[in-house]
Amino acid sequence: MRAFPSGLGVALVTPFQDNGAIDFPALDALVDRVTAGGADYLVALGTTAETPTLSTAERKAVLARIRNRNAGRLPLVAGIGGNDTAGVVAALRDFDLEGVSAVLSVTPFYNRPSQRGLYEHFRAVAQAAPVPVILYNVPGRTGVNMLPQTTLQLAGEFDNIIAVKEASGDMAQIEELIAGAPEGFHVLSGDDSLAVRLIEKGGDGLISVVANAYPAYVAEMVDAALRRDASRANGLWNGIAELVKALFAEGNPTGIKAALSLCGVAGNHLRLPLVASSPELTDRIRGLAAAAGL
């Protein structure tokens, strides 16, 4: 295994039954699937898990179920973030993080804090967290972009901030992070579509959505990139580029839940305000997956 958190992390979906309840047996099956497929670590309660629609009790139950099913096989990351700093600090103290290797904490959304506000928020998170912290920058969802100098200042000042999941989509910003990263700090792609390019530039891996449905394929692609086998890595990426585009065409996790239903892993059920994929998109995903041999 690679040094955590390099390699392939999988941002697990939360399967639901058709009545909206959490489908815990399907969650078990998903954990087993991505583990057998070659994931290096698991990520619970991220964006892909529809965490904003889960109650606090449900979040705790999902994390406990994943931890129990994982049974220590892989490192486990738990998403604990929000736009109320005091609330995030309280959650870090309230959640049972036994067996959790790190927390993934997103930049505060909607509030649109300044860079100083982002620094102060994550300073409070780092000081409160009982386990290491992975920063999560995803401006397309949060409305705020944490600039490289802020990320690198945090990484330099707090030893327990160990990585950033960077989903800005800005390769110049990603290259600045990689160039300035202190020893032991990991730069991870938050976008499946940029993973190979990020690793080629010196990044450390991917936290993937697509690997929920196709873990072995994505694991091979990430492994090839990390081994500096550019031909193999880019060939594998080219083989699924159109499929990945389709998986995000109606938002996330809409596409990946359609793919999981086609794989027979979990039902195609989401919680409002998200809705299931259109029949046309589902058919397109089916055809592109078949064309890729998946």
Side-chain angles (χ1 to χ4, degrees), residues 214-247:
Y214 315 112
Y217 191 103
V218 178
E220 185 179 356
M221 181 182 77
V222 169
D223 179 68
L226 287 167
R227 288 187 291 101
R228 302 296 183 247
D229 186 345
S231 176
R232 181 63 176 159
N234 283 287
L236 288 165
W237 165 243
N238 291 335
I240 60 166
E242 287 302 311
L243 172 59
V244 171
K245 184 177 179 180
L247 288 171

Short mmCIF file of all heavy atoms in Angstrom, two decimals, residues 214-247:
data_model
loop_
_atom_site.label_atom_id
_atom_site.label_comp_id
_atom_site.label_asym_id
_atom_site.label_seq_id
_atom_site.Cartn_x
_atom_site.Cartn_y
_atom_site.Cartn_z
N TYR A 214 -16.52 1.72 -11.04
CA TYR A 214 -15.47 1.07 -11.84
C TYR A 214 -14.13 1.13 -11.10
O TYR A 214 -13.15 1.70 -11.61
CB TYR A 214 -15.37 1.74 -13.20
CG TYR A 214 -16.71 1.99 -13.85
CD1 TYR A 214 -17.19 3.29 -14.03
CD2 TYR A 214 -17.52 0.92 -14.25
CE1 TYR A 214 -18.43 3.52 -14.61
CE2 TYR A 214 -18.77 1.16 -14.83
CZ TYR A 214 -19.22 2.45 -15.01
OH TYR A 214 -20.46 2.69 -15.57
N PRO A 215 -14.06 0.57 -9.91
CA PRO A 215 -12.85 0.77 -9.08
C PRO A 215 -11.59 0.18 -9.68
O PRO A 215 -10.52 0.81 -9.61
CB PRO A 215 -13.22 0.09 -7.76
CG PRO A 215 -14.31 -0.89 -8.11
CD PRO A 215 -15.08 -0.23 -9.22
N ALA A 216 -11.65 -1.01 -10.26
CA ALA A 216 -10.43 -1.64 -10.77
C ALA A 216 -9.84 -0.83 -11.92
O ALA A 216 -8.62 -0.68 -12.03
CB ALA A 216 -10.72 -3.07 -11.20
N TYR A 217 -10.70 -0.30 -12.78
CA TYR A 217 -10.24 0.48 -13.92
C TYR A 217 -9.56 1.76 -13.44
O TYR A 217 -8.44 2.10 -13.89
CB TYR A 217 -11.42 0.82 -14.83
CG TYR A 217 -11.03 1.40 -16.17
CD1 TYR A 217 -11.07 0.62 -17.32
CD2 TYR A 217 -10.65 2.74 -16.30
CE1 TYR A 217 -10.72 1.15 -18.56
CE2 TYR A 217 -10.30 3.28 -17.52
CZ TYR A 217 -10.34 2.47 -18.66
OH TYR A 217 -9.99 3.01 -19.88
N VAL A 218 -10.22 2.48 -12.54
CA VAL A 218 -9.66 3.75 -12.06
C VAL A 218 -8.38 3.49 -11.26
O VAL A 218 -7.41 4.24 -11.36
CB VAL A 218 -10.70 4.53 -11.24
CG1 VAL A 218 -10.09 5.82 -10.70
CG2 VAL A 218 -11.93 4.84 -12.07
N ALA A 219 -8.35 2.40 -10.47
CA ALA A 219 -7.15 2.07 -9.71
C ALA A 219 -5.98 1.80 -10.63
O ALA A 219 -4.84 2.23 -10.36
CB ALA A 219 -7.42 0.85 -8.82
N GLU A 220 -6.21 1.11 -11.74
CA GLU A 220 -5.13 0.84 -12.69
C GLU A 220 -4.65 2.14 -13.33
O GLU A 220 -3.44 2.33 -13.53
CB GLU A 220 -5.61 -0.13 -13.76
CG GLU A 220 -4.50 -0.54 -14.72
CD GLU A 220 -4.95 -1.53 -15.79
OE1 GLU A 220 -6.12 -1.97 -15.76
OE2 GLU A 220 -4.13 -1.84 -16.67
N MET A 221 -5.58 3.04 -13.63
CA MET A 221 -5.20 4.32 -14.25
C MET A 221 -4.34 5.15 -13.29
O MET A 221 -3.29 5.68 -13.68
CB MET A 221 -6.46 5.10 -14.64
CG MET A 221 -6.20 6.42 -15.31
SD MET A 221 -7.72 7.32 -15.70
CE MET A 221 -8.13 7.97 -14.07
N VAL A 222 -4.77 5.25 -12.04
CA VAL A 222 -4.00 6.01 -11.05
C VAL A 222 -2.65 5.37 -10.80
O VAL A 222 -1.62 6.05 -10.71
CB VAL A 222 -4.82 6.15 -9.75
CG1 VAL A 222 -3.96 6.71 -8.62
CG2 VAL A 222 -6.04 7.03 -9.98
N ASP A 223 -2.64 4.05 -10.72
CA ASP A 223 -1.38 3.34 -10.49
C ASP A 223 -0.40 3.60 -11.64
O ASP A 223 0.79 3.85 -11.42
CB ASP A 223 -1.63 1.85 -10.34
CG ASP A 223 -0.35 1.06 -10.14
OD1 ASP A 223 0.27 1.22 -9.07
OD2 ASP A 223 0.04 0.29 -11.04
N ALA A 224 -0.90 3.53 -12.87
CA ALA A 224 -0.03 3.78 -14.02
C ALA A 224 0.54 5.19 -13.98
O ALA A 224 1.72 5.42 -14.27
CB ALA A 224 -0.80 3.54 -15.32
N ALA A 225 -0.30 6.17 -13.62
CA ALA A 225 0.17 7.54 -13.55
C ALA A 225 1.24 7.70 -12.48
O ALA A 225 2.27 8.37 -12.70
CB ALA A 225 -1.00 8.48 -13.27
N LEU A 226 1.02 7.09 -11.32
CA LEU A 226 2.00 7.20 -10.23
C LEU A 226 3.30 6.47 -10.55
O LEU A 226 4.37 6.84 -10.04
CB LEU A 226 1.39 6.66 -8.94
CG LEU A 226 0.33 7.57 -8.31
CD1 LEU A 226 -0.43 6.82 -7.22
CD2 LEU A 226 0.95 8.84 -7.74
N ARG A 227 3.23 5.44 -11.40
CA ARG A 227 4.45 4.73 -11.83
C ARG A 227 5.13 5.45 -12.99
O ARG A 227 6.12 4.96 -13.52
CB ARG A 227 4.09 3.30 -12.24
CG ARG A 227 3.75 2.38 -11.08
CD ARG A 227 3.58 0.94 -11.54
NE ARG A 227 2.39 0.71 -12.36
CZ ARG A 227 2.37 0.61 -13.68
NH1 ARG A 227 3.50 0.71 -14.37
NH2 ARG A 227 1.25 0.39 -14.33
N ARG A 228 4.57 6.59 -13.38
CA ARG A 228 5.10 7.39 -14.49
C ARG A 228 5.01 6.66 -15.82
O ARG A 228 5.83 6.88 -16.72
CB ARG A 228 6.54 7.84 -14.22
CG ARG A 228 6.67 8.67 -12.93
CD ARG A 228 5.90 9.97 -13.04
NE ARG A 228 6.08 10.81 -11.86
CZ ARG A 228 5.10 11.10 -11.00
NH1 ARG A 228 3.87 10.60 -11.19
NH2 ARG A 228 5.31 11.88 -9.97
N ASP A 229 4.02 5.78 -15.94
CA ASP A 229 3.73 5.13 -17.22
C ASP A 229 2.68 5.99 -17.93
O ASP A 229 1.49 5.68 -17.91
CB ASP A 229 3.23 3.71 -16.99
CG ASP A 229 3.06 2.92 -18.28
OD1 ASP A 229 3.07 3.54 -19.36
OD2 ASP A 229 2.91 1.68 -18.20
N ALA A 230 3.15 7.08 -18.53
CA ALA A 230 2.24 8.06 -19.10
C ALA A 230 1.40 7.47 -20.23
O ALA A 230 0.22 7.80 -20.37
CB ALA A 230 3.03 9.27 -19.61
N SER A 231 2.00 6.62 -21.03
CA SER A 231 1.27 6.03 -22.15
C SER A 231 0.08 5.21 -21.65
O SER A 231 -1.04 5.35 -22.15
CB SER A 231 2.20 5.15 -22.98
OG SER A 231 1.49 4.50 -24.01
N ARG A 232 0.34 4.37 -20.65
CA ARG A 232 -0.74 3.54 -20.10
C ARG A 232 -1.79 4.39 -19.41
O ARG A 232 -3.00 4.19 -19.60
CB ARG A 232 -0.15 2.51 -19.13
CG ARG A 232 -1.17 1.57 -18.52
CD ARG A 232 -1.84 0.73 -19.57
NE ARG A 232 -2.76 -0.26 -18.99
CZ ARG A 232 -3.75 -0.83 -19.66
NH1 ARG A 232 -3.96 -0.54 -20.94
NH2 ARG A 232 -4.54 -1.71 -19.07
N ALA A 233 -1.36 5.34 -18.59
CA ALA A 233 -2.30 6.17 -17.84
C ALA A 233 -3.19 6.98 -18.78
O ALA A 233 -4.42 7.01 -18.60
CB ALA A 233 -1.55 7.10 -16.90
N ASN A 234 -2.60 7.60 -19.78
CA ASN A 234 -3.40 8.41 -20.69
C ASN A 234 -4.27 7.56 -21.59
O ASN A 234 -5.39 7.95 -21.95
CB ASN A 234 -2.49 9.32 -21.51
CG ASN A 234 -2.01 10.51 -20.71
OD1 ASN A 234 -2.77 11.43 -20.44
ND2 ASN A 234 -0.74 10.50 -20.32
N GLY A 235 -3.79 6.36 -21.94
CA GLY A 235 -4.62 5.45 -22.71
C GLY A 235 -5.86 5.03 -21.94
O GLY A 235 -6.97 4.98 -22.50
N LEU A 236 -5.68 4.72 -20.67
CA LEU A 236 -6.82 4.35 -19.84
C LEU A 236 -7.76 5.53 -19.67
O LEU A 236 -8.99 5.36 -19.72
CB LEU A 236 -6.33 3.85 -18.48
CG LEU A 236 -5.67 2.47 -18.50
CD1 LEU A 236 -4.91 2.22 -17.22
CD2 LEU A 236 -6.73 1.37 -18.70
N TRP A 237 -7.21 6.72 -19.47
CA TRP A 237 -8.09 7.89 -19.35
C TRP A 237 -8.88 8.12 -20.63
O TRP A 237 -10.09 8.34 -20.59
CB TRP A 237 -7.28 9.15 -19.00
CG TRP A 237 -8.09 10.39 -19.23
CD1 TRP A 237 -7.84 11.38 -20.11
CD2 TRP A 237 -9.34 10.72 -18.60
NE1 TRP A 237 -8.83 12.32 -20.08
CE2 TRP A 237 -9.77 11.94 -19.15
CE3 TRP A 237 -10.11 10.10 -17.63
CZ2 TRP A 237 -10.95 12.56 -18.77
CZ3 TRP A 237 -11.30 10.72 -17.22
CH2 TRP A 237 -11.71 11.93 -17.79
N ASN A 238 -8.22 8.04 -21.76
CA ASN A 238 -8.93 8.25 -23.03
C ASN A 238 -10.05 7.24 -23.22
O ASN A 238 -11.06 7.54 -23.86
CB ASN A 238 -7.94 8.19 -24.19
CG ASN A 238 -6.99 9.37 -24.21
OD1 ASN A 238 -7.30 10.44 -23.70
ND2 ASN A 238 -5.81 9.19 -24.79
N GLY A 239 -9.87 6.05 -22.65
CA GLY A 239 -10.89 5.01 -22.78
C GLY A 239 -12.16 5.30 -22.03
O GLY A 239 -13.22 4.72 -22.35
N ILE A 240 -12.10 6.19 -21.03
CA ILE A 240 -13.31 6.49 -20.25
C ILE A 240 -13.66 7.97 -20.24
O ILE A 240 -14.59 8.39 -19.53
CB ILE A 240 -13.21 5.99 -18.80
CG1 ILE A 240 -12.03 6.65 -18.07
CG2 ILE A 240 -13.13 4.48 -18.74
CD1 ILE A 240 -12.09 6.46 -16.56
N ALA A 241 -12.96 8.79 -21.00
CA ALA A 241 -13.18 10.24 -20.94
C ALA A 241 -14.62 10.61 -21.25
O ALA A 241 -15.24 11.43 -20.55
CB ALA A 241 -12.23 10.95 -21.90
N GLU A 242 -15.20 10.02 -22.28
CA GLU A 242 -16.59 10.34 -22.62
C GLU A 242 -17.56 9.80 -21.58
O GLU A 242 -18.58 10.42 -21.27
CB GLU A 242 -16.93 9.79 -24.01
CG GLU A 242 -16.29 10.57 -25.14
CD GLU A 242 -16.69 12.04 -25.12
OE1 GLU A 242 -17.90 12.33 -25.01
OE2 GLU A 242 -15.79 12.88 -25.21
N LEU A 243 -17.26 8.64 -21.02
CA LEU A 243 -18.09 8.08 -19.95
C LEU A 243 -18.07 9.00 -18.73
O LEU A 243 -19.12 9.28 -18.14
CB LEU A 243 -17.60 6.69 -19.58
CG LEU A 243 -18.25 6.03 -18.36
CD1 LEU A 243 -19.76 5.89 -18.53
CD2 LEU A 243 -17.60 4.68 -18.08
N VAL A 244 -16.90 9.47 -18.36
CA VAL A 244 -16.80 10.36 -17.19
C VAL A 244 -17.58 11.65 -17.45
O VAL A 244 -18.30 12.15 -16.56
CB VAL A 244 -15.33 10.66 -16.87
CG1 VAL A 244 -15.21 11.75 -15.81
CG2 VAL A 244 -14.64 9.38 -16.40
N LYS A 245 -17.48 12.18 -18.65
CA LYS A 245 -18.25 13.38 -19.00
C LYS A 245 -19.74 13.13 -18.83
O LYS A 245 -20.47 13.97 -18.27
CB LYS A 245 -17.93 13.79 -20.44
CG LYS A 245 -18.59 15.09 -20.88
CD LYS A 245 -18.15 15.46 -22.30
CE LYS A 245 -18.81 16.73 -22.77
NZ LYS A 245 -18.38 17.09 -24.16
N ALA A 246 -20.20 11.97 -19.25
CA ALA A 246 -21.61 11.63 -19.11
C ALA A 246 -22.01 11.47 -17.65
O ALA A 246 -23.11 11.86 -17.24
CB ALA A 246 -21.92 10.35 -19.89
N LEU A 247 -21.12 10.91 -16.86
CA LEU A 247 -21.44 10.67 -15.45
C LEU A 247 -21.69 11.96 -14.68
O LEU A 247 -22.38 11.94 -13.65
CB LEU A 247 -20.31 9.88 -14.77
CG LEU A 247 -20.20 8.41 -15.18
CD1 LEU A 247 -18.93 7.79 -14.62
CD2 LEU A 247 -21.42 7.62 -14.72
#
